[in-house]
Amino acid sequence: MKKSDVSFIQKGKGRDLVFLHGYLSSKEAFSAHIGYFSKSFRVTAIDFCGFGHSAPLECAFSVSDYAAWTSEAFSLLGVGEKPYCIAHSFGCRVAVKMQRLAAERGGENVFGKTIFTGPAGLLPKRTLRYKIRVKAYRAAKKLFPAYAEKKFGSAEYRSLSPVMKESYKKIVNEDLRGDIAKFSPPTLVIEGNRDTVTTAAEAEEYAKLLPRGRLQYISGGHFAFAESAAEFTLAAEEFFSDE
């Protein structure tokens, strides 16, 4: 990886604070928070590979691949040890897996205090209706591949390039419960009270799985951190400053 492969914003002085964006999003989702927190921290916000203005994917990435890529990007950008972290949705998956990869190599915590907002990574129980739909998709894909791609899957999935579709399938089909249960940094889960993408039930389970996790609700949906920026910032500030 070259530094030019990573689109990033880095500003401010002090302890490192990194921002990890959600799927199909970018570092600019945190624009208001980057400006604010750069007064107290050295802020680094990146676009993941394949998103924003970072280099496109050349092959389908799993969550572990994104974690390894992000670790290398932070090293290239001079991010120090145990930065504080604010991660949204897919970014939470990456943060959790970065910790898992570090532990496998005998390392300590990757992050200091961490905030997960709208956290993703819990695979839902597969209902009978879901299983029937998967079988129908597989059958249609063999006979009418173009129709299958158009008819099945979310709008988010259908908008992706072929390599991103393969990556997406790897990402959403990996359950991270075991990795979340080993994510040991102090962690605050901030959940939008109207989030229908990652629900309150998922946020509650996430917080319970985390060894040092707790949950707080703010107003808003899946992007509550942006919709209620002042409320989110206050909760983050209190968490970071609490000894």
Side-chain angles (χ1 to χ4, degrees), residues 83-110:
Y84 283 6
C85 176
I86 295 178
H88 174 231
S89 195
F90 168 68
C92 303
R93 294 181 191 260
V94 176
V96 165
K97 192 62 77 171
M98 287 174 71
Q99 178 63 41
R100 175 60 181 270
L101 294 180
E104 289 175 351
R105 296 167 185 159
E108 298 181 355
N109 285 345
V110 173

Short mmCIF file of all heavy atoms in Angstrom, two decimals, residues 83-110:
data_model
loop_
_atom_site.label_atom_id
_atom_site.label_comp_id
_atom_site.label_asym_id
_atom_site.label_seq_id
_atom_site.Cartn_x
_atom_site.Cartn_y
_atom_site.Cartn_z
N PRO A 83 -5.02 4.65 19.87
CA PRO A 83 -5.81 5.87 19.65
C PRO A 83 -7.23 5.68 20.16
O PRO A 83 -7.73 4.54 20.23
CB PRO A 83 -5.81 6.01 18.13
CG PRO A 83 -5.70 4.60 17.64
CD PRO A 83 -4.78 3.93 18.62
N TYR A 84 -7.88 6.77 20.54
CA TYR A 84 -9.32 6.71 20.77
C TYR A 84 -9.97 6.50 19.40
O TYR A 84 -9.38 6.80 18.35
CB TYR A 84 -9.82 8.00 21.40
CG TYR A 84 -9.53 8.13 22.88
CD1 TYR A 84 -8.74 7.19 23.55
CD2 TYR A 84 -10.03 9.20 23.61
CE1 TYR A 84 -8.48 7.32 24.91
CE2 TYR A 84 -9.78 9.33 24.96
CZ TYR A 84 -9.00 8.39 25.61
OH TYR A 84 -8.75 8.52 26.95
N CYS A 85 -11.18 5.96 19.42
CA CYS A 85 -11.83 5.61 18.15
C CYS A 85 -13.31 5.91 18.20
O CYS A 85 -13.97 5.65 19.21
CB CYS A 85 -11.61 4.11 17.87
SG CYS A 85 -12.45 3.48 16.40
N ILE A 86 -13.83 6.46 17.10
CA ILE A 86 -15.27 6.60 16.88
C ILE A 86 -15.59 5.88 15.58
O ILE A 86 -15.05 6.22 14.52
CB ILE A 86 -15.70 8.08 16.79
CG1 ILE A 86 -15.47 8.78 18.13
CG2 ILE A 86 -17.18 8.19 16.39
CD1 ILE A 86 -15.81 10.27 18.14
N ALA A 87 -16.44 4.86 15.66
CA ALA A 87 -16.75 4.03 14.49
C ALA A 87 -18.26 3.94 14.29
O ALA A 87 -19.02 3.83 15.26
CB ALA A 87 -16.16 2.64 14.66
N HIS A 88 -18.66 3.96 13.04
CA HIS A 88 -20.08 3.87 12.70
C HIS A 88 -20.35 2.61 11.88
O HIS A 88 -19.64 2.33 10.91
CB HIS A 88 -20.51 5.10 11.88
CG HIS A 88 -21.90 5.02 11.36
ND1 HIS A 88 -22.23 5.23 10.03
CD2 HIS A 88 -23.09 4.75 11.99
CE1 HIS A 88 -23.53 5.10 9.87
NE2 HIS A 88 -24.07 4.81 11.03
N SER A 89 -21.34 1.83 12.29
CA SER A 89 -21.88 0.72 11.51
C SER A 89 -20.78 -0.24 11.03
O SER A 89 -20.17 -0.94 11.84
CB SER A 89 -22.69 1.29 10.34
OG SER A 89 -23.51 0.32 9.77
N PHE A 90 -20.52 -0.29 9.74
CA PHE A 90 -19.47 -1.15 9.20
C PHE A 90 -18.11 -0.85 9.84
O PHE A 90 -17.30 -1.76 10.05
CB PHE A 90 -19.39 -0.97 7.68
CG PHE A 90 -18.18 -1.58 7.04
CD1 PHE A 90 -18.01 -2.94 7.00
CD2 PHE A 90 -17.21 -0.77 6.45
CE1 PHE A 90 -16.89 -3.51 6.40
CE2 PHE A 90 -16.10 -1.31 5.86
CZ PHE A 90 -15.93 -2.69 5.83
N GLY A 91 -17.86 0.40 10.17
CA GLY A 91 -16.60 0.75 10.83
C GLY A 91 -16.42 0.02 12.14
O GLY A 91 -15.29 -0.28 12.55
N CYS A 92 -17.54 -0.30 12.82
CA CYS A 92 -17.46 -1.07 14.07
C CYS A 92 -16.98 -2.49 13.78
O CYS A 92 -16.20 -3.06 14.56
CB CYS A 92 -18.83 -1.10 14.75
SG CYS A 92 -19.51 0.53 15.11
N ARG A 93 -17.45 -3.07 12.69
CA ARG A 93 -16.96 -4.40 12.29
C ARG A 93 -15.44 -4.38 12.14
O ARG A 93 -14.73 -5.27 12.62
CB ARG A 93 -17.57 -4.82 10.95
CG ARG A 93 -19.06 -5.05 10.91
CD ARG A 93 -19.45 -5.48 9.50
NE ARG A 93 -20.86 -5.50 9.23
CZ ARG A 93 -21.63 -6.59 9.24
NH1 ARG A 93 -21.11 -7.75 9.54
NH2 ARG A 93 -22.92 -6.50 8.95
N VAL A 94 -14.96 -3.35 11.45
CA VAL A 94 -13.52 -3.27 11.18
C VAL A 94 -12.73 -3.10 12.48
O VAL A 94 -11.70 -3.76 12.68
CB VAL A 94 -13.22 -2.11 10.21
CG1 VAL A 94 -11.72 -1.96 9.99
CG2 VAL A 94 -13.92 -2.35 8.86
N ALA A 95 -13.21 -2.24 13.36
CA ALA A 95 -12.52 -2.02 14.64
C ALA A 95 -12.44 -3.30 15.45
O ALA A 95 -11.39 -3.64 16.02
CB ALA A 95 -13.23 -0.93 15.43
N VAL A 96 -13.55 -4.02 15.52
CA VAL A 96 -13.60 -5.28 16.28
C VAL A 96 -12.61 -6.28 15.70
O VAL A 96 -11.87 -6.96 16.43
CB VAL A 96 -15.04 -5.85 16.27
CG1 VAL A 96 -15.05 -7.30 16.70
CG2 VAL A 96 -15.94 -5.01 17.17
N LYS A 97 -12.57 -6.37 14.38
CA LYS A 97 -11.67 -7.34 13.74
C LYS A 97 -10.21 -6.90 13.85
O LYS A 97 -9.31 -7.76 13.95
CB LYS A 97 -12.06 -7.51 12.28
CG LYS A 97 -11.38 -8.68 11.60
CD LYS A 97 -11.72 -10.02 12.23
CE LYS A 97 -13.08 -10.52 11.84
NZ LYS A 97 -13.31 -11.93 12.27
N MET A 98 -9.94 -5.61 13.89
CA MET A 98 -8.56 -5.14 14.10
C MET A 98 -8.04 -5.62 15.45
O MET A 98 -6.89 -6.05 15.59
CB MET A 98 -8.50 -3.62 14.01
CG MET A 98 -8.64 -3.07 12.61
SD MET A 98 -8.75 -1.26 12.57
CE MET A 98 -7.07 -0.80 13.00
N GLN A 99 -8.92 -5.56 16.46
CA GLN A 99 -8.54 -6.04 17.78
C GLN A 99 -8.28 -7.54 17.76
O GLN A 99 -7.33 -8.05 18.36
CB GLN A 99 -9.63 -5.72 18.79
CG GLN A 99 -9.36 -6.20 20.21
CD GLN A 99 -8.14 -5.55 20.83
OE1 GLN A 99 -7.92 -4.36 20.64
NE2 GLN A 99 -7.33 -6.32 21.52
N ARG A 100 -9.12 -8.29 17.05
CA ARG A 100 -8.96 -9.74 16.95
C ARG A 100 -7.64 -10.11 16.28
O ARG A 100 -6.90 -10.99 16.75
CB ARG A 100 -10.14 -10.34 16.18
CG ARG A 100 -10.03 -11.84 15.90
CD ARG A 100 -9.94 -12.66 17.18
NE ARG A 100 -9.81 -14.08 16.89
CZ ARG A 100 -10.84 -14.90 16.76
NH1 ARG A 100 -12.08 -14.46 16.90
NH2 ARG A 100 -10.64 -16.18 16.50
N LEU A 101 -7.31 -9.43 15.19
CA LEU A 101 -6.07 -9.71 14.48
C LEU A 101 -4.85 -9.39 15.35
O LEU A 101 -3.86 -10.13 15.35
CB LEU A 101 -6.01 -8.92 13.18
CG LEU A 101 -7.05 -9.30 12.11
CD1 LEU A 101 -6.86 -8.43 10.87
CD2 LEU A 101 -6.96 -10.77 11.73
N ALA A 102 -4.93 -8.30 16.10
CA ALA A 102 -3.83 -7.93 16.99
C ALA A 102 -3.65 -8.98 18.07
O ALA A 102 -2.51 -9.35 18.42
CB ALA A 102 -4.09 -6.57 17.61
N ALA A 103 -4.76 -9.48 18.63
CA ALA A 103 -4.69 -10.49 19.69
C ALA A 103 -4.08 -11.79 19.16
O ALA A 103 -3.30 -12.45 19.85
CB ALA A 103 -6.09 -10.75 20.24
N GLU A 104 -4.40 -12.13 17.91
CA GLU A 104 -3.84 -13.35 17.32
C GLU A 104 -2.33 -13.26 17.15
O GLU A 104 -1.64 -14.27 17.13
CB GLU A 104 -4.50 -13.61 15.96
CG GLU A 104 -5.96 -14.05 16.08
CD GLU A 104 -6.62 -14.19 14.73
OE1 GLU A 104 -6.01 -13.78 13.71
OE2 GLU A 104 -7.76 -14.71 14.68
N ARG A 105 -1.84 -12.03 17.04
CA ARG A 105 -0.39 -11.83 16.89
C ARG A 105 0.28 -11.56 18.24
O ARG A 105 1.45 -11.18 18.29
CB ARG A 105 -0.14 -10.65 15.94
CG ARG A 105 -0.63 -10.91 14.52
CD ARG A 105 -0.67 -9.63 13.72
NE ARG A 105 -1.25 -9.84 12.40
CZ ARG A 105 -1.76 -8.88 11.63
NH1 ARG A 105 -1.78 -7.63 12.07
NH2 ARG A 105 -2.25 -9.16 10.44
N GLY A 106 -0.49 -11.71 19.31
CA GLY A 106 0.08 -11.53 20.64
C GLY A 106 0.12 -10.09 21.10
O GLY A 106 0.79 -9.78 22.09
N GLY A 107 -0.56 -9.20 20.39
CA GLY A 107 -0.53 -7.79 20.74
C GLY A 107 -1.55 -7.43 21.80
O GLY A 107 -2.40 -8.23 22.19
N GLU A 108 -1.47 -6.17 22.27
CA GLU A 108 -2.41 -5.67 23.26
C GLU A 108 -3.57 -4.97 22.55
O GLU A 108 -3.76 -5.13 21.35
CB GLU A 108 -1.68 -4.72 24.21
CG GLU A 108 -0.55 -5.39 25.00
CD GLU A 108 0.13 -4.42 25.94
OE1 GLU A 108 -0.20 -3.22 25.90
OE2 GLU A 108 1.00 -4.87 26.70
N ASN A 109 -4.31 -4.16 23.30
CA ASN A 109 -5.43 -3.44 22.71
C ASN A 109 -4.96 -2.52 21.59
O ASN A 109 -3.96 -1.82 21.72
CB ASN A 109 -6.14 -2.59 23.77
CG ASN A 109 -6.99 -3.44 24.71
OD1 ASN A 109 -7.27 -4.60 24.41
ND2 ASN A 109 -7.39 -2.86 25.81
N VAL A 110 -5.69 -2.55 20.50
CA VAL A 110 -5.41 -1.65 19.37
C VAL A 110 -5.85 -0.24 19.71
O VAL A 110 -5.17 0.73 19.37
CB VAL A 110 -6.14 -2.14 18.11
CG1 VAL A 110 -5.99 -1.12 16.98
CG2 VAL A 110 -5.59 -3.49 17.67
#
